[in-house]
Structure formats: C-alpha cells, structure tokens
Amino acid sequence: MTRPLRLRLLLRDLSIAAAFASMAVSGQVPLWAFGLVLVAVLMGVLGRRPFARYPRLTAALLVPLAGVLYLAVASGQMDLVVAACSFAGLVAAQRVLSESSPATDGQVLLAGLLMIAGGAALSGELLFAVCLLTFAVLASLSLGLAVVEAAVPVGEPVPVRAVMRPLGRGTFVAMLGAMAFFILIPRLNWNVGVRRASPGLGTATSGFSDTVRLGGSGTLKSNPRVVLRARLSPDPGTEQLSSYWVGRTYDTFDGLEWSTIGASTKRHRTRVTLRPGADNQVYQRIELLPAYGSRTLIALETPAKLGNALTHTALGDRRTQLQELGGDELRFVEEGLGYSYEVYSVPPGTDTDPGRMNQQETDQLLALPDNLDPRMEELARRVVGDEKDPLAAAQKLSAWLQREYEYTLELSGDVADPLRDFLFVRKAGHCEHFATALTLMLRTQGFEARLATGFFGGERVGDEYLVRAGDAHAWTHVLVPGRGFVTVDATPPAFRANQSLQLIETMISLYESVEALWRKAVVDYSFRDQLDFVRSMSRPPRDASGQPRPSSSLPPLRAWVTAAGVALAIYGLVRALSQRRARRPAQEATRLVDAVERLLARAGLPPREGETLEDVSARLSGEAHPLAPVLAAITRRYLEARFGQRPLQSGESARLLAQLRRALDDGRPTARAS
Amino acid sequence: MRARLRPPRTLKVTRMGRTYLVVTFGVGLGALNTGNNLLYLVLGLLLSVIILSGVLSERCLRDLTVRRVGVDGAFAGEPFAFRWGITRREGHAFALTLSEADSALTGEGSVGYLPAGAEHVVRADLTAPRRGPMKLLGVRVTTTWPLGLFAKTRVFELPGTLLVYPRRGFACGPPEDAAVSHVGEAPSPRRLDGTGDLAGLRELGEHEDARRVHWLKSASANRLLKVEREREERRTYVLEVRSGLEAEALERRCEEVAEQAHRLIEAGHEVGLELPGQRLRPGAGSGQERALLRALAWLGFEDEREEEAA
C-alpha cells in the first residue's frame, strides 16, 4: 500500500475541524467532547495516527462514550441533537487517528457532513457560515485529490497543481449553486419535533435576574458584543447616544442583594401600557439579538407603551406575548433566538406618571437594610445639607460620589458588606456601587428612590443604534413629586458606556454588521422573501408604500441584470456556434473519407488494415491503377480540408464522390478533380 | 445489439455516493421538518455538489479518443499487460479508468491526469478467463471525478479481437519420442547427443537427457554437469490434438500441448502440431512457439476465424 498524500490528509483533517467547529460555535457541545476532538485533529494535522495499529480496539472505545452520551440524554442533561453531533465528532476523531484508506476517508468526510448538518440545527451564528464554507472547500479539495490519487498508478506523483485549479473553480461554482438552490427551494415547514436554537458562542449579558448581587466582578463592561439594535423616531441624529435603556428596577436592598417586592401578573398581553403617554414620544423599533441572553424587554427611559413583539426562532418569526413583572419589568412569554418589538417612551425631562404601584411598593422606596452602617446616614446628611428637593439632593450626592470616589472594575472576592466596603474602605467601585450608594443615601434622608438596571449609550451604525453588552449599567431613579421617577446617575460619566478596546469594538462591529446581513439574508429568509424575489424579477420595484419608484435617468437594476444575462447567453451561443463552425469542415472531410472508403470497398479495393486514404492512394499510384488519378485528387482535397484549413465548399464533397463513382463505373480515369 | 442498446453515458453511484445521497435526503427532511434556513443552505450545497459532479464528470469524458495499443501475449487465467492510448483534444481529464466493455476480460487501467494534446498510454493487467479469440467491442472509460460520489462511464466503440493462448503452467508428462530425427545433423539414430567439438559444461537441467552427463566432472563438482557440443542435439516432435475432444478435455489437451511445445522449443527441438483439419510443420524458435499457440488458441473457434476472414 502506498503512502497517502499528506496534503490530502491535512485538508481532510482541517475540514473535519471546520465541521466540528460549526457545531461548537453553538456553545452547546460538551467541553470533554470538544477537547477530545480538538486533540485528535491536532494530532492528525501533525501527521500522527496512533490508532492505526489498533483500529478495532479504538473503535470499541466509542461504545462507552456513546453510553455516556446516552445517559446524559436520558437524564435530561443533554439535548439529543447535541449528543448525536458530539458522537459524530468522536467518530470522526477516531477515524482521523486511524490509518488512511478510501473507506476511512469517506467515513471521516461523511461524519463531517453530519456535523455540518448538526451545526445547522444547533447554531444560527455567522461563524457557522464560515465553518460551512471552510468545510465545503477543504472537503472538496480532499475528496478530489483522493479520487485522482486512486487513479494514479503506484509510484507516480499525484498531479496536485493540475487538480487544485479545476477543483477550486468547481467548489466556487458549487457555492453559487448552493445560493441559487437556497433562494429557489420552496420553504416548507412541517414543524414536527423542532428544537430550540441557541444564542451561540460568546458571553451573553448576565440577563435580568430577580436579584442583583452587589460586588460582582464587572467584566461585562468590556464585552463588545452587540445585544440590541434600535431604530428611533424621531431620529436623534447623533453618533453616540447618551440615553438610558431601562430593563427593570429594584426597590429592596438587604445589604447584599437588590430585589423587587412587586409580584408578577399572570396575564399575557400583546401590548402593555406602563404609564400614560405624552407629547413627542420617542418611537423605537428594537431588536434584541441572541447575545442578549434574556427575555426582559429593554426600552429608552421612560417607557410608556410596549408591544407588537415577534420572537425570532429557527422556524422563523412569530408573534409573542408579554408578561408584566414587578419593578416595571416586562418579559417575553416565549423563549427565542432573538426578539423585535415596538416601544413608545416619554422623552427625558418630561413630567410623567410614576406608574402603577401599590402602597407596599411605594413604602419600599424608603426601605433601608437592617444592618445599614450608621455612618452612611451621617455622611448623606453632611452632603445633602438641608436640601429638601429630592432631585437637587440626588444631584448633590451624585456629584459628591463622582468627585470623591473612584471607578474600578478590579473587585475580587465577596465582602460581607459591599456598600460599607465601597463607601468607607475601598472608596472605589463600579456602577452598581455608585447607584446603590446614591439610592440608599437618598433614602436615609427621606427621599424615595430605587435602583434601575439596563444599558447606557448607543452607537450609530447606518440608521440604527447599537447597544453592546458592555453598555450594561445601573443607576438611580429618584421619585420627584409631580414629575415622577427621574434618572440620576452617580457613576462618573466616563465609565458609563462600555469599556472595551476600540480595535476589538471595531472588529466586533464589523462582525455584527456582517452577521446582521447573514441573519437577514439567510437565517430569516422566508417564503415571503422568495415570493418577493420572484416578484422583483417580474415587476418594477416598489418603495415601502407600495408605489412604483419614480423613474430615474438610469435604467433599473433588473434591466442591468437582465441585460447582463442576455449578454452572457449571446456570448455562450456565439462561442458554441464558433466552435461548431470550426469543427464542421473536419467532420465533413471525415464523412468524405468514409464515403470514399465505402465506394472503394464496394469496388473490391478496401483499404488494408491500418491503411489511411493517403496510403491507399499511394499504393494505387504505385500500381498504376486507373483509379489513382481520381483518388489522388480526392485525397489531396481531403488533406487540405482536414488539416490545411481549406474547408470543403458546399456540394464539393458530393461532386468529388460523383467523380469517383463515374471512374469506378467506367473503369477508367476521368478528368482531374479540382 | 447490447452495444446499440447501451445509453451514451451510464452513471453509477459509488458506495460513498450512496451514503451522500442518504445524508442529502436526511438533510432535506430535516429542512422540511424544521424550516431551518441553514439546513436549506446545506441542502442547497449538497444538491449543488451533485449537479456539479455530473457536469464535471461529463466534461471529463468529452473530447477523448481511445485506441488499443495491443498486447504481446495473453494467456488464459493469468494477468497480461494490455495498453490503450488515450488522447484528449482540449481541456483536461482526471481520474479516468479504462477497461474493455462487454467483455469477459477482467482488470482495468487508470490515468490520474490527462492533459490535452499528448497521447497517454494506459497500462492494465487484464485477465482472460478462457482460451480462444475474444471479441472486443469497445473501451469503457469511467471517471469518478470530481468527488468520487458518482462513476460516469462512456463506451468508445472499438471493435477488435484478442486471441488468448491456452493457460500456462499445466503439469504434463514428457512428450512422446521424437517422430523424426533431424536429418543430416544426427546421422546415427543411436547417437542422439550432440555432435561436434566439446563446447563446455553446464548444469543438467530438468527434463534433460541423463545420457549427456559428464560423470567424471560431475563427480568432482558434486553436481550433474551436461556436456555441450558445438552442434547440439535437435529432435523433431509433432504434437497432436486429437479430434473429438470437447470442452474441458479439449482445454486440458490444448494446455498440455502448449506446455510441451514450450518446453521442447526451449530445449532447442523442433515442434510441429497436428490439429483436426490443420497441420503445422515442425519448426524451432519463439516464432514457431507463437504460431503453435495461435493455432491452439483458434482450436474450437474456427467459425469465428472464418467470420473474421470474411
């Protein structure tokens, strides 16, 4: 057995890595399976195949691994599809570490195909597309090389360079074909036994849990993943928003954690009104991306109406309902890959209703923890002085905190009293410390306040605003009589928005915009999109209002596309016809020779074995045969037509044959053919 | 008739191709079941690859010219070298496998890469199951290019005949005594060893006459040494295949005669052949052996020979 081509094995192993990665980007593959496959692929890439000597024994190792996966599925710890995909990865790993053979190679690449299918079921990430592309290219090259390698006789080199070019072109064409199929295959949905899609790799936001523990590490601030896209009306027109996106509020602090006493309602509604609206409300069309990782609705301060929500799932979009919880929190009833909904918010600075609160909730706005450090009240009194206006007092305290305390994310380990630690020991903390300190100091002075969490900021991309996971923030709501809850932020302004590196942020932005395109064009492609595509090919384009677009001096895009298609068709036709014209004389000349040989055979002068018409003519000339002159002329004309680029004229072939027939009939030479 | 009914191209799904189709079907079902667009994308890629495979393999089989280069000697039951010359007028071809179509010949030759213009000679070890003339109808050219999922085949009609000699290696007994001594070379019928001056000594070969042993030298060398003279002994044998033999008996006799003829001619004797309705005059050398083998190969297939001659 000859040694397999190393390049082919390398391509094969890398394609398997890409296939496995297509599943791994979903973040659902168990770590141990991930580790095993990673090690196997690395060894394969390095050319080490330790299982080659023990193929059966090592294949038997897959049985206990299958058992482990089965138990994980049976106990509900693992999804069936995830388990199946993981097992396909392990099978591929075992094959990668075994001796290469046509059967092994086929099994490896088919396992890769299964993993790609599994990846499609597990993940909607853009990275899946990258993995799919990588797998398709590498696996095609590897398979193509294997086919040629099998046909090359032993000992001869495999023509790698000659193979790669047509294979590469073929793979590219296959990609285009895949896109064409993708666009045109009718979208059907039997909707039997579907599974939930996952948010994919990377840290999602911590979400909005029922409690907020003070003193976390705060690494979220450096997470640049986009969690929210919003289109605002009226458009603020600024590049950077300095707005608060509220998710929920907390009114109870026990010294360690914030929570809410308000109970959730059991009603599910499509639209929820939190408070009366006002003039000049800000309309928001918000999309929560999978990286958001929570079901809590986000809206610009101060939301009045929310609704018309859609859940994005692997099956497409569907309407979903909202559930109202305590702390002004609204949640989507159904879990999905992402969500989109509409919100109307009261503009900042507008007097508004504080919202529905019962007496207990109102009383809670002044509640203090039992173990509150008594120095805090003294400190607050010293800063606030005899200020009676809640907002002014809050602003005084906020300015004092920003001036006297430092912002830091370097907080490690739990402390017994994080607020005391912040105010009197460390004198440094992050947004939750500043917001908690402000809220509680206000309460010690009799001002009603609560903690609000959500996001701060917004970066303009196109006509949308992006909010990143690192924009997660906490601030204070001060209840001002007659004005409602007013936002006061004690965190130093420089540290309110996300704090990731600019370069990473730029790269992530680029990735997110490509991913948005991917989701719009591929993941969310629907039957309606197909119909629109077909319509767009047959009808003039219309604007959003459904009216035909005003005519411009330039032809529409479809005219360009059609013209390009027609041009290509004409080019192909001309090329085909030119090829046909080039061959036609040769075919006619060949037919002439065949006819001549038939006539000669009929006359008892068949060409001998391996004898060409030229040979026959020469032989007859040598024998001084009476047919020789006619045949010599025909032979010369044939050679001119066949090789001399002087094609036979119309009817010339018939004329030559007629001369030969006459010569045969007469048994004597005729006039020379010309 | 079979050649006429044959479609211009045949397509066979390989083992991996079958699994590929099953996976494609499964992905299609998954896409329909879930409506998952990514599964539709994967399905699109799988279908696209199927079509691309068909197009590329078809392009691979276009513009080809095939001819048989021939064979030196084909013996039944053992591989013999067979060659085809294959040329591509334009473009490239990959992973071509050549074999004889609709023939009992087994085996195939292959070429990994065939550039345009130059003729590539493909060598194959073919095996013929039986003795006699084998009608060759055409050359089957198959490619699994580009991905090995489907094997597309095109048959180039190329009529011809391959004459297969009797099977070699049949253990047979020694031939009967020589029918005729070589006139003039061995004047005395009793003196069958060589004549002339002593030319040398060499080890006695298998089946060689022990009377030529030089006993004295053999005793000193501790092995049997044969005397070689300037004019070696040459006998004339006429081997015979009786009429009336059929099927297996005829085959065995042909193999036996071929083996005897080979051995005798190797030993320098002249061998003739007496066949039903045909007689070959005794002769020596490889040309004679080839003539004997050809006669033996045609034995029992005279009808086909006449057809060919006609």
Side-chain angles (χ1 to χ4, degrees):
Chain A
M1 187 176 174
T2 54
R3 282 187 69 182
L5 190 66
R6 177 138 172 69
L7 174 65
R8 176 174 65 77
L9 291 183
L10 185 67
L11 292 171
R12 186 197 71 173
D13 296 346
L14 289 177
S15 72
I16 282 302
F20 190 78
S22 74
M23 301 188 306
V25 291
S26 71
Q28 297 185 67
V29 177
L31 270 180
W32 59 270
F34 183 80
L36 286 176
V37 175
L38 188 67
V39 169
V41 168
L42 282 176
M43 290 182 77
V45 167
L46 293 173
R48 299 191 177 170
R49 313 208 180 264
F51 290 3
R53 288 186 180 182
Y54 315 103
R56 288 175 188 273
L57 180 67
T58 51
L61 287 177
L62 292 171
V63 177
L65 289 173
V68 170
L69 289 169
Y70 173 76
L71 288 176
V73 172
S75 62
Q77 293 177 354
M78 191 184 283
D79 184 273
L80 180 63
V81 176
V82 176
C85 291
S86 304
F87 190 66
L90 294 172
V91 170
Q94 194 272 340
R95 301 277 83 189
V96 162
L97 295 179
S98 302
E99 190 69 55
S100 171
S101 71
T104 312
D105 297 346
Q107 288 159 1
V108 168
L109 291 171
L110 286 170
L113 206 50
L114 287 173
M115 286 193 280
I116 284 288
L122 292 177
S123 170
E125 287 271 299
L126 174 63
L127 281 176
F128 170 81
V130 177
C131 294
L132 174 65
L133 190 69
T134 311
F135 173 78
V137 172
L138 297 183
S140 300
L141 294 178
S142 173
L143 274 174
L145 276 176
V147 165
V148 175
E149 191 183 354
V152 170
V154 177
E156 289 184 19
V158 178
V160 174
R161 285 193 178 186
V163 171
M164 284 299 189
R165 202 171 162 191
L167 262 182
R169 274 203 304 260
T171 309
F172 179 70
V173 172
M175 296 292 170
L176 295 180
M179 288 312 297
F181 271 113
F182 178 79
I183 292 169
L184 298 175
I185 294 174
R187 288 298 183 279
L188 299 172
N189 186 356
W190 297 347
N191 200 11
V192 180
V194 297
R195 62 184 316 285
R196 234 168 37 201
S198 73
L201 272 188
T203 316
T205 59
S206 56
F208 287 88
S209 58
D210 291 337
T211 59
V212 170
R213 189 180 179 86
L214 194 58
S217 64
T219 51
L220 197 61
K221 293 302 286 182
S222 58
N223 185 343
R225 293 195 74 186
V226 177
V227 295
L228 180 153
R229 291 175 182 275
R231 199 181 295 261
L232 306 185
S233 178
D235 192 342
T238 56
E239 288 300 310
Q240 294 286 339
L241 275 183
S242 296
S243 302
Y244 291 88
W245 302 83
V246 65
R248 67 169 295 171
T249 61
Y250 299 88
D251 53 20
T252 306
F253 185 65
D254 65 357
L256 208 58
E257 283 184 343
W258 279 99
S259 58
T260 307
I261 62 162
S264 61
T265 61
K266 297 200 173 173
R267 280 193 306 166
H268 294 168
R269 290 179 287 172
T270 54
R271 292 179 69 88
V272 176
T273 302
L274 293 174
R275 53 185 56 83
D279 294 335
N280 305 322
Q281 288 189 101
V282 181
Y283 168 80
Q284 305 139 61
R285 179 75 199 171
I286 293 177
E287 185 184 3
L288 294 176
L289 302 178
Y292 175 56
S294 176
R295 282 194 287 152
T296 300
L297 276 78
I298 301 290
L300 276 178
E301 291 265 51
T302 306
K305 287 180 185 171
L306 303 94
N308 291 337
L310 293 174
T311 306
H312 305 310
T313 68
L315 305 174
D317 298 346
R318 63 168 175 266
R319 295 218 162 269
T320 186
Q321 293 185 314
L322 309 175
Q323 184 185 15
E324 197 172 352
L325 288 92
D328 276 358
E329 182 187 5
L330 287 178
R331 272 190 198 170
F332 298 104
V333 172
E334 294 175 21
E335 188 128 6
L337 195 62
Y339 305 92
S340 57
Y341 52 96
E342 295 174 324
V343 182
Y344 288 92
S345 292
V346 178
T350 309
D351 296 347
T352 185
D353 189 276
R356 287 189 299 272
M357 285 197 297
N358 58 33
Q359 190 58 46
Q360 190 188 9
E361 285 174 307
T362 308
D363 294 345
Q364 200 65 18
L365 294 175
L366 286 171
L368 293 167
D370 296 337
N371 56 349
L372 189 72
D373 193 314
R375 289 179 291 173
M376 210 170 119
E377 186 180 351
E378 179 58 34
L379 194 60
R381 187 182 304 124
R382 205 169 63 227
V383 175
V384 171
D386 55 356
E387 182 61 62
K388 301 297 178 197
D389 178 51
L391 186 56
Q395 285 165 344
K396 268 188 174 180
L397 275 169
S398 170
W400 176 77
L401 283 167
Q402 288 175 18
R403 191 171 61 247
E404 298 293 327
Y405 289 79
E406 285 184 12
Y407 184 91
T408 182
L409 292 172
E410 302 299 324
L411 298 171
S412 56
D414 286 343
V415 290
D417 190 339
L419 188 58
R420 184 168 56 200
D421 186 60
F422 168 67
L423 284 174
F424 303 112
V425 181
R426 194 186 295 261
K427 297 198 172 180
H430 54 69
C431 60
E432 285 174 6
H433 294 90
F434 282 95
T436 303
L438 174 60
T439 308
L440 292 182
M441 287 170 92
L442 282 171
R443 287 183 181 182
T444 59
Q445 300 308 302
F447 301 117
E448 293 168 308
R450 67 185 183 187
L451 185 86
T453 56
F455 298 91
F456 175 82
E459 171 193 341
R460 192 182 183 93
V461 174
D463 54 355
E464 287 183 329
Y465 285 93
L466 304 183
V467 175
R468 300 174 187 281
D471 290 325
H473 194 47
W475 60 94
T476 301
H477 278 171
V478 185
L479 186 60
V480 181
R483 293 190 60 186
F485 282 109
V486 178
T487 294
V488 180
D489 194 347
T491 307
F495 302 106
R496 288 173 189 169
N498 84 87
Q499 294 156 35
S500 58
L501 291 174
Q502 186 61 39
L503 177 66
I504 294 176
E505 205 172 289
T506 307
M507 289 174 68
I508 292 286
S509 289
L510 184 66
Y511 172 81
E512 297 283 358
S513 31
V514 177
E515 191 186 35
L517 185 67
W518 161 255
R519 286 194 178 280
K520 188 176 175 186
V522 178
V523 177
D524 297 337
Y525 189 71
S526 64
F527 186 60
R528 180 180 293 176
D529 295 324
Q530 286 186 302
L531 288 178
D532 290 344
F533 173 76
V534 174
R535 278 198 203 105
S536 69
M537 301 302 285
S538 56
R539 294 181 191 173
R542 292 166 182 270
D543 60 16
S545 63
Q547 297 300 316
R549 284 183 192 162
S551 60
S552 69
S553 56
L554 287 175
L557 178 63
R558 67 196 183 96
W560 290 106
V561 172
T562 310
V566 170
L568 274 175
I570 291 173
Y571 171 74
L573 188 66
V574 167
R575 196 171 165 194
L577 287 176
S578 63
Q579 282 178 348
R580 179 167 290 194
R581 261 204 309 275
R583 283 185 189 177
R584 205 168 170 181
Q587 288 172 347
E588 203 170 325
T590 308
R591 281 199 293 272
L592 172 67
V593 169
D594 290 344
V596 168
E597 286 182 350
R598 274 197 302 273
L599 286 174
L600 290 175
R602 210 177 297 157
L605 292 168
R608 293 173 186 163
E609 190 173 345
E611 219 176 26
T612 63
L613 186 62
E614 208 176 352
D615 298 335
V616 175
S617 178
R619 178 161 57 83
L620 294 185
S621 297
E623 295 170 0
H625 197 280
L627 277 178
V630 177
L631 197 61
I634 293 175
T635 306
R636 192 172 62 250
R637 193 65 196 91
Y638 158 70
L639 292 174
E640 282 176 353
R642 181 74 177 81
F643 305 108
Q645 297 184 342
R646 279 192 58 204
L648 291 167
Q649 302 301 315
S650 174
E652 190 179 1
S653 181
R655 201 165 57 247
L656 291 171
L657 288 172
Q659 287 176 359
L660 181 62
R661 259 188 226 104
R662 274 199 304 276
L664 288 169
D665 291 344
D666 298 347
R668 58 182 173 78
T670 62
R672 287 173 65 91
S674 57
Chain B
M1 178 58 88
R2 193 192 295 182
R4 284 184 186 176
L5 292 175
R6 185 193 300 121
R9 305 282 190 279
T10 53
L11 192 68
K12 190 179 165 193
V13 185
T14 63
R15 191 174 175 182
M16 196 165 83
R18 278 199 295 274
T19 319
Y20 181 88
L21 290 180
V22 169
V23 171
T24 305
F25 186 72
V27 170
L29 279 182
L32 287 173
N33 184 29
T34 61
N36 185 335
N37 272 333
L38 298 184
L39 282 177
Y40 273 111
L41 185 64
V42 176
L43 177 66
L45 184 64
L46 297 175
L47 293 175
S48 174
V49 163
I50 290 173
I51 291 180
L52 185 78
S53 287
V55 172
L56 289 186
S57 58
E58 177 59 34
R59 289 184 63 179
C60 213
L61 294 178
R62 268 177 17 194
D63 293 325
L64 290 177
T65 312
V66 183
R67 71 183 181 95
R68 289 193 191 91
V69 178
V71 60
D72 291 335
F75 291 86
E78 67 180 82
F80 56 89
F82 197 87
R83 290 171 297 165
W84 298 275
I86 183 164
T87 315
R88 187 170 172 98
R89 284 193 290 278
E90 56 184 37
H92 311 265
F94 298 94
L96 300 175
T97 305
L98 283 80
S99 61
E100 286 296 332
D102 303 325
S103 160
L105 292 172
T106 55
E108 58 191 24
S110 59
V111 49
Y113 172 55
L114 180 67
E119 185 185 61
H120 187 96
V121 175
V122 183
R123 185 188 184 282
D125 288 336
L126 300 187
T127 308
R130 62 162 179 81
R131 171 188 65 85
M134 306 206 74
K135 288 272 184 200
L136 303 180
L137 301 174
V139 180
R140 179 188 291 119
V141 181
T142 302
T143 183
T144 53
W145 174 260
L147 301 177
L149 303 176
F150 307 97
K152 185 171 273 189
T153 299
R154 179 183 172 190
V155 175
F156 293 84
E157 285 186 22
L158 203 59
T161 303
L162 173 70
L163 193 61
V164 181
Y165 302 149
R167 189 187 301 267
R168 275 195 294 209
F170 180 72
C172 61
E176 297 165 4
D177 286 343
V180 183
S181 301
H182 204 83
V183 179
E185 295 289 335
S188 166
R190 292 170 184 270
R191 186 184 170 90
L192 296 174
D193 54 347
T195 59
D197 296 334
L198 184 68
L201 294 170
R202 67 169 173 84
E203 197 163 359
L204 184 74
E206 200 180 356
H207 309 299
E208 283 187 328
D209 193 348
R211 287 172 295 186
R212 299 285 303 277
V213 171
H214 193 299
W215 295 107
L216 191 61
K217 292 288 183 187
S218 297
S220 61
N222 202 22
R223 54 199 171 109
L224 293 175
L225 297 175
K226 177 192 174 188
V227 176
E228 282 190 314
R229 297 188 181 277
E230 285 180 344
R231 287 192 294 278
E232 278 294 298
E233 63 171 300
R234 295 174 70 191
R235 296 187 191 180
T236 300
Y237 292 88
V238 176
L239 304 175
E240 183 189 10
V241 179
R242 295 193 316 274
S243 59
L245 292 177
E246 284 185 355
E248 187 62 23
L250 178 64
E251 291 302 315
R252 289 182 69 82
R253 181 57 191 157
C254 285
E255 291 167 19
E256 187 179 24
V257 167
E259 173 64 14
Q260 285 175 338
H262 173 69
R263 206 182 298 162
L264 293 170
I265 286 173
E266 280 285 293
H269 303 295
E270 289 188 344
V271 181
L273 189 59
E274 189 76 44
L275 301 175
Q278 189 185 0
R279 186 172 194 282
L280 264 71
R281 293 174 60 188
S286 59
Q288 176 68 2
E289 184 181 359
R290 188 58 55 94
L292 297 179
L293 287 170
R294 285 179 63 83
L296 287 169
W298 280 111
L299 188 58
F301 299 99
E302 289 80 5
D303 297 346
E304 291 181 31
R305 192 171 200 174
E306 282 162 14
E307 275 175 26
E308 193 177 68

